[in-house]
Amino acid sequence: MWRRNLLARIAISRDLCAREPVIRSPFVDRWKKPFSTSSEEQEAATEAFVSRPTKGLVYGRLNQLGKNTLKTDIIHFFDGCNLTLSDIRFDYNRSYNPLGAVLQFPSKGPFDAAVKLLIRKGRLYRLEKADRSQWDLLTSYDGKTVLIQGVPRNASFDDVERVLSGCNFDSSSIQMFVRPGFPDSVRMALVQFPTRLEAMNAFLTKNRSFCLNNPISMRVLQ
């Protein structure tokens, strides 16, 4: 008797389980969705990434510079190309004559604008594409260093200081050296100044003066 009752209860519970609705969690359905979008959406995203304009510094080498060309001359020539004094580095030879200058543009747009300006203004300079390594190799004197040429061989550091009397300069920065010249080699000196203004003031007031009765010439290095 008790066995028949037990079998009846088991049958009833199985029937109720079969009729009970299954409740599915919405979180299960969410995680079952694929992560990738449709093929059309993927292609559109890829195309947008490829066509996105790349931003970054662009370098150009400017040739055919004059010996007395200044950074400000280049900035004024390329007006509207977003160049600043810190975006220009001159390339000098061993005698400190400019071979050219490397320009750092904020992006490709200003570089292209500079090329168009050269064409419109008659190609006074020659601008060609450069890379970052050319920029890194150059020293920027930043208009604060003055080159003195024609220093007598027997001149001392004190003699150079006397030439610059009345100017504000760093006396510990004076360097003297000899470079080949024609018909004789030339002795030179480099002197650093605190600001561009003081370096230019020394050039304007002391250029073509004398050191131990020898005429000297001066130039502000960029």
Side-chain angles (χ1 to χ4, degrees):
M1 183 68 180
W2 64 271
R3 289 182 177 178
R4 285 199 298 270
N5 293 337
L6 178 61
L7 292 175
R9 290 177 181 176
I10 293 174
I12 292 172
S13 63
R14 287 179 177 176
D15 183 64
L16 290 175
C17 291
R19 295 180 183 180
E20 185 178 358
V22 178
I23 302 175
R24 300 181 61 184
S25 170
F27 296 101
V28 175
D29 292 336
R30 179 188 302 175
W31 290 109
K32 284 184 178 180
K33 291 182 180 180
F35 288 102
S36 61
T37 58
S38 64
S39 59
E40 293 82 6
E41 292 174 342
Q42 289 178 349
E43 291 175 0
T46 302
E47 183 179 355
F49 177 80
V50 173
S51 61
R52 184 184 302 164
T54 57
K55 294 183 178 180
L57 299 175
V58 176
Y59 297 89
R61 181 178 177 85
L62 194 65
N63 297 313
Q64 299 177 344
L65 300 182
K67 181 180 292 187
N68 297 314
T69 302
L70 304 176
K71 288 184 177 182
T72 50
D73 297 329
I74 296 175
I75 292 175
H76 292 156
F77 184 88
F78 291 108
D79 184 35
C81 297
N82 299 332
L83 288 175
T84 65
L85 294 175
S86 60
D87 292 323
I88 304 172
R89 290 185 182 179
F90 276 62
D91 182 14
Y92 293 103
N93 61 14
R94 294 186 71 250
S95 297
Y96 290 93
N97 292 318
L99 301 174
V102 177
L103 313 183
Q104 178 179 257
F105 295 90
S107 63
K108 189 175 182 298
F111 175 83
D112 293 339
V115 174
K116 293 178 181 178
L117 271 176
L118 279 175
I119 297 174
R120 191 190 323 152
K121 293 185 177 182
R123 298 182 182 274
L124 179 62
Y125 304 114
R126 184 163 56 88
L127 180 65
E128 57 189 25
K129 202 74 174 290
D131 54 46
R132 178 63 185 264
S133 62
Q134 298 181 50
W135 170 268
D136 292 336
L137 289 173
L138 299 179
T139 300
S140 178
Y141 296 97
D142 203 23
K144 300 177 182 179
T145 300
V146 169
L147 173 70
I148 304 175
Q149 296 175 287
V151 178
R153 288 183 175 275
N154 59 336
S156 65
F157 288 90
D158 292 336
D159 295 322
V160 174
E161 290 186 24
R162 275 190 285 271
V163 171
L164 299 173
S165 176
C167 300
N168 184 18
F169 63 96
D170 181 6
S171 59
S172 64
S173 70
I174 298 177
Q175 305 175 45
M176 289 195 288
F177 48 88
V178 177
R179 290 291 183 263
F182 182 82
D184 300 317
S185 57
V186 180
R187 197 176 188 206
M188 304 180 179
L190 287 178
V191 186
Q192 294 181 6
F193 290 77
T195 65
R196 301 185 189 97
L197 182 61
E198 289 169 329
M200 183 58 67
N201 177 66
F203 166 74
L204 294 175
T205 58
K206 302 295 183 176
N207 189 32
R208 304 299 179 185
S209 59
F210 292 85
C211 180
L212 295 180
N213 296 324
N214 278 32
I216 60 169
S217 62
M218 301 174 65
R219 187 151 42 91
V220 178
L221 298 183
Q222 302 296 306

